[in-house]
Amino acid sequence: MSEFSVLALSGSLREASFNSALIRAAQRLAPAGMTIERYRDLGAVPPFNEDVEPAPPAAVVDLRERIAAADALLIATPEYNYGVPGVLKNALDWASRPSFPITSWVSRSPTSRSPSSAPPRPGWAPSGRSSSSASSSSGPTPPWSPSRRSS
């Protein structure tokens, strides 16, 4: 039986981040037959630029090659301002473009839910959206909320 390889991305660039610690713990606890490689060059991936997409920078080529070689991706990430950190979003933008012709792992069912597929938080709706739970929430109200400022 061949090794099952996992490429792990930490959404935080800090070496001492909890997310990087989770990846290190996953590496230590991986079962026999599984290897988890932590991708350490996320900060080197430049901002996505469609103008250079036909001949992507070396850091992007490296990321794409490592993703293509892996059997799975493990992403451990903080949540910044109710979303994915920009450095991770940028890497996912580069990796998910049609110019990157991998399909082996893309067609597999995800084993976890992304924040965007999670139900909305009580009392909060992103700008420009309405949420029925936003007006009748018993949850915390963000300090910048208009309803909080009026009280």
Side-chain angles (χ1 to χ4, degrees):
M1 182 174 143
S2 64
E3 283 281 302
F4 187 83
S5 67
V6 178
L7 181 66
L9 303 175
S10 175
S12 175
L13 297 179
R14 282 187 332 106
E15 186 62 32
S17 79
F18 290 118
N19 298 286
S20 297
L22 286 170
I23 290 173
R24 288 189 298 274
Q27 288 175 309
R28 284 191 309 274
L29 299 171
M34 177 185 286
T35 58
I36 300 175
E37 174 196 0
R38 181 171 163 220
Y39 184 74
R40 296 179 174 270
D41 299 324
L42 201 59
V45 176
F48 177 75
N49 181 345
E50 198 168 3
D51 290 339
V52 299
E53 189 176 10
V60 172
V61 172
D62 178 60
L63 173 65
R64 288 176 168 183
E65 287 175 352
R66 290 193 190 182
I67 289 172
D71 294 311
L73 289 175
L74 170 64
I75 300 173
T77 186
E79 179 181 339
Y80 293 147
N81 297 325
Y82 300 103
V84 176
V87 68
L88 179 61
K89 166 82 169 69
N90 180 61
L92 294 175
D93 286 345
W94 274 113
S96 63
R97 297 293 297 169
S99 65
F100 180 38
I102 65 157
T103 56
S104 62
W105 62 269
V106 175
S107 63
R108 298 178 191 166
S109 297
T111 58
S112 66
R113 291 171 28 153
S114 70
S116 62
S117 66
R121 288 193 169 100
W124 181 82
S127 176
R129 286 189 185 160
S130 63
S131 169
S132 59
S133 65
S135 59
S136 61
S137 167
S138 60
T141 304
W144 59 85
S145 170
S147 62
R148 188 171 199 166
R149 281 184 251 160
S150 62
S151 11

